[in-house]
Amino acid sequence: RLADPYGILIAGVGGTGVVTIGALLGMAAHLDGKGVTVLDMTGLAQKGGAVMSHVRLAARQEQLHSARIATGEARLLLGCDIVVAVSDDALSKTTAGYTQAIINTGRSITGEFLRNPDREFPEGAMERVVSDTVGREATQFIDAARLATRLMGHSIATNIFMLGHAFQCGLIPLSLEAILRAIELNGAAVEDNVRAFHWGRRAAHDPAAIDALLGDGG
């Protein structure tokens, strides 16, 4: 009910739509008549660099005095890329027992992997870092990149898929109607984005059905 400000930290890679997710939530909050601030932290990042979007929601605009999510005050860490989500900057916004985390485990290729293509991707270690920081019961890991690609035919749907998953888990305190209208108003690949959002919801609600639909489990 947004009795207190609600912080959503979106962590991902430049060029994949992290800023778009923040903008969609900002518009949806406006449509719902809620208070909202959106602050995109891109630094020197361009495509392939770390990007974080701070979204703060409240029942009234006057409840929000800062656009940046303070240390330990993220209610949701939406990790669209696990490499960025396990950074000190992202995890510093979380608190065990307070923050929920939904993390895409899909592998992103950084500069280090280009220099050393035989290097092992430390997925297990990164998952442990998130679980140890936020708490295992408060953390969900999902290979959203693979699922979005299999279901939609392209990985660009991954972040919208993640948003739908988080919404279905009750972690986005905005109305369905407002989010869908925000996607429509954004005007870019509206039909695809609506489908990706609903696939994310379905994956959260009934993962077994998604596995059955994909057939081979991978």
Side-chain angles (χ1 to χ4, degrees):
R1 296 179 182 272
L2 294 180
D4 298 306
Y6 189 99
I8 301 173
L9 183 68
I10 308 162
V13 171
T16 64
V18 174
V19 171
T20 298
I21 299 300
L24 290 176
L25 291 175
M27 176 56 72
H30 174 72
L31 294 170
D32 266 345
K34 307 298 185 184
V36 61
T37 60
V38 179
L39 176 64
D40 299 317
M41 306 292 289
T42 59
L44 298 176
Q46 297 180 21
K47 288 189 175 182
V51 173
M52 281 183 277
S53 185
H54 295 233
V55 179
R56 301 189 72 226
L57 305 169
R60 302 181 310 278
Q61 192 66 37
E62 54 266 28
Q63 291 177 269
L64 300 173
H65 305 293
S66 171
R68 185 193 298 263
I69 297 172
T71 299
E73 291 191 358
R75 293 293 302 275
L76 170 64
L77 170 59
L78 189 63
C80 297
D81 179 87
I82 191 170
V83 175
V84 182
V86 300
S87 67
D88 290 342
D89 195 16
L91 291 180
S92 71
K93 308 302 182 186
T94 69
T95 298
Y98 181 78
T99 306
Q100 297 282 322
I102 299 180
I103 309 295
N104 171 30
T105 60
R107 300 183 178 189
S108 61
I109 304 302
T110 64
E112 178 60 30
F113 287 95
L114 295 177
R115 290 188 293 271
N116 182 7
D118 295 325
R119 180 171 180 172
E120 182 180 357
F121 189 85
E123 180 177 323
M126 290 190 292
E127 289 185 10
R128 287 191 294 274
V129 169
V130 179
S131 296
D132 290 346
T133 303
V134 179
R136 186 64 190 91
E137 293 184 356
T139 305
Q140 297 182 56
F141 297 103
I142 178 171
D143 192 348
R146 179 186 68 85
L147 292 175
T149 300
R150 294 288 306 280
L151 293 165
M152 297 291 298
H154 52 80
S155 63
I156 199 64
T158 300
N159 291 358
I160 294 286
F161 181 95
M162 290 283 292
L163 179 62
H165 193 282
F167 177 84
Q168 191 65 27
C169 291
L171 299 174
I172 306 292
L174 297 169
S175 71
L176 174 62
E177 294 77 12
I179 293 175
L180 295 179
R181 178 58 176 156
I183 293 173
E184 180 183 353
L185 290 172
N186 185 53
V190 173
E191 184 176 345
D192 263 13
N193 283 331
V194 169
R195 287 177 57 218
F197 179 79
H198 286 312
W199 275 125
R201 295 182 64 204
R202 182 67 180 270
H205 173 70
D206 194 353
I210 297 296
D211 289 342
L213 177 66
L214 295 179
D216 60 7

